[in-house]
Amino acid sequence: MLNGQLAADNLPRAVRWEEGDLYLLDQTRLPLETCMEKQETAQQVWDSIHVLKVRGAPAIGIAGAYGLCVALKDKTGLAIDEFMAEVENQAAFLDSSRPTAVNLGWALRRMVAMAKASGITDATALYDRLVAEAVAIHEEDIGLCRAMGENGAPLITEGMGVLTHCNAGSLATSELGTATAPMYVAHSRGVNFRVYADETRPLLQGARLTSWELQQSGIDVTLLTDNMAAHIMSQGLIDLVITGTDRVAANGDVANKIGTMGVAILAKHFGIPFYVCCPSSTIDLDTAHGKDIPIEERGDDEVTSFGARRTAPEGIKVRNPAFDVTPNELVTGLITEKGIICEPYTENLRAMFG
Ligand code: MRU
């Protein structure tokens, strides 16, 4: 992937639509097994999103859009008003699978709005149009990631150490990822840099996914447990932090995987720039502040166990928020497909995406 060549074809694909069927890479099995799973029902897609077989904000938006097609596939014999009611019901059902990433609701609202505005009066024709819309959402994401890669790549210069948290990579999107897109583009241009990947407890997206996909791409990646970031920063090994996000509020507050805010606070302490890669599909101008973003709470077992092994006493009280909100004042810039946005976020986000 050197000398200006982006080997995008070799990156893992989280979501595939092939001959009218949806396949999801079961990310809970990575990095030990790469297994594409055919999705037969809306319930199966809901479960796949809920248990993180498919995960990452853009990828669950794409999976949700295709999931709506899966839900409607055997309903094309219905009268158009009954079919339209199914479009709305199934979209609401799929949207309930995870609350924090705005891309899921964004993609499903786009599908429903298109169906309502289409004026199509035949269920089979409308189903075909919905499939085309899901494919469009998928293909547009490829372009968004490439543009963020172009806009963010100049931040990564020769010899740098770049820290990232969770997985905002190919596995979380359609192709280059969000936080990883500047890395893939810089790498393709022959820039030598090191990536440090936080392991990201409790579900280990950094260890299982980010370190796997970057290693496969030939990028120099070092895995850290989450509590090592401060020490590694204090040694002068980190020059830049880039993360992804699940939702950016209108004031620039950033929801991302639990632990991201701690990294941002550390970056501020050590004077390290903290950038967030966010496509427009992740910007939620209808949510004024980060405190209004719904934060998913997941099951106790993710915290009381490490893999299959229990690591905490029975009956222990547990908290398991899956995301946190980094206040906008800790964010150096938002890398979007249209360019890098800095403070004042409220004005600049509205000017660019309002
Ligand atoms: O719980 P996950 O694995 O879905 O969380 C993913 C993240 O927090 C990512 O950083 C975010 O969705 C951005 S993906 C481009």
Side-chain angles (χ1 to χ4, degrees):
M1 177 142 137
L2 283 175
N3 304 325
Q5 280 259 300
L6 255 180
D9 288 350
N10 297 331
L11 291 170
R13 300 296 152 128
V15 182
R16 281 185 199 275
W17 181 261
E18 273 172 16
E19 294 174 13
D21 287 311
L22 173 61
Y23 296 84
L24 298 175
L25 177 61
D26 181 353
Q27 299 189 31
T28 62
R29 297 182 184 212
L30 288 173
L32 301 178
E33 289 172 67
T34 46
C35 170
M36 294 302 285
E37 201 177 78
K38 187 173 170 184
Q39 307 293 299
E40 311 272 6
T41 63
Q43 183 65 55
Q44 188 183 357
V45 177
W46 191 98
D47 290 341
S48 295
I49 295 172
H50 188 68
V51 304
L52 277 60
K53 287 185 177 183
V54 61
R55 32 67 51 206
I60 64 174
I62 296 163
Y66 284 132
L68 186 59
C69 302
V70 171
L72 296 167
K73 193 174 182 178
D74 64 355
K75 301 205 164 38
T76 53
L78 292 175
I80 192 67
D81 48 345
E82 291 168 335
F83 186 81
M84 198 55 229
E86 280 297 318
V87 172
E88 293 192 65
N89 291 341
Q90 298 293 340
F93 170 64
L94 289 163
D95 193 20
S96 70
S97 54
R98 289 191 83 188
T100 302
V102 72
N103 303 60
L104 180 59
W106 168 84
L108 289 164
R109 280 191 297 277
R110 175 170 157 173
M111 296 284 282
V112 173
M114 185 284 299
K116 282 182 172 169
S118 69
I120 296 173
T121 54
D122 171 70
T124 303
L126 184 51
Y127 172 79
D128 291 343
R129 186 67 190 78
L130 283 160
V131 171
E133 191 71 9
V135 171
I137 289 170
H138 194 177
E139 288 178 354
E140 283 168 25
D141 188 64
I142 296 175
L144 296 178
C145 292
R146 288 185 184 178
M148 285 182 288
E150 290 294 329
N151 293 334
L155 297 170
I156 302 177
T157 56
E158 191 67 20
M160 266 192 173
V162 185
L163 183 114
T164 191
H165 190 76
C166 194
N167 174 265
S170 177
L171 290 163
T173 62
S174 52
E175 192 196 65
L176 294 186
T178 64
T180 54
M183 302 176 195
Y184 287 128
V185 172
H187 182 62
S188 74
R189 292 179 181 158
V191 180
N192 294 298
F193 58 96
R194 291 159 284 113
V195 177
Y196 291 86
D198 280 348
E199 88 176 330
T200 317
R201 270 287 281 158
L203 293 181
L204 306 178
Q205 288 92 331
R208 295 186 301 103
L209 309 178
T210 302
S211 63
W212 181 72
E213 70 166 86
L214 292 180
Q215 186 186 51
Q216 284 196 328
S217 300
I219 291 180
D220 179 346
V221 56
T222 302
L223 178 62
L224 307 175
T225 65
D226 299 330
N227 49 0
M228 294 174 188
H231 176 68
I232 299 296
M233 286 182 180
S234 77
Q235 293 188 320
L237 293 169
I238 308 296
D239 304 288
L240 175 69
V241 177
I242 309 181
T243 74
T245 171
D246 290 82
R247 189 186 300 231
V248 174
N251 70 342
D253 289 349
V254 169
N256 193 45
K257 179 52 55 192
I258 192 75
T260 302
M261 177 167 48
V263 174
I265 292 167
L266 289 175
K268 178 96 173 170
H269 177 81
F270 288 105
I272 298 166
F274 179 91
Y275 283 90
V276 174
C277 262
C278 68
S280 47
S281 53
T282 310
I283 297 169
D284 180 7
L285 295 181
D286 294 331
T287 297
H289 300 279
K291 65 178 168 43
D292 302 324
I293 297 174
I295 299 295
E296 178 181 12
E297 284 270 347
R298 297 186 59 86
D300 294 2
D301 53 322
E302 293 178 358
V303 175
T304 56
S305 308
F306 196 83
R309 181 167 173 266
R310 190 168 176 96
T311 53
E314 293 292 344
I316 194 74
K317 287 198 287 183
V318 169
R319 285 291 313 276
N320 189 12
F323 300 93
D324 59 27
V325 177
T326 299
N328 58 23
E329 63 265 24
L330 297 178
V331 179
T332 310
L334 298 170
I335 304 168
T336 77
E337 73 269 19
K338 292 188 181 177
I340 299 181
I341 297 179
C342 299
E343 286 183 312
Y345 288 107
T346 304
E347 290 78 0
N348 291 342
L349 278 168
R350 195 154 290 282
M352 209 176 263
F353 294 104

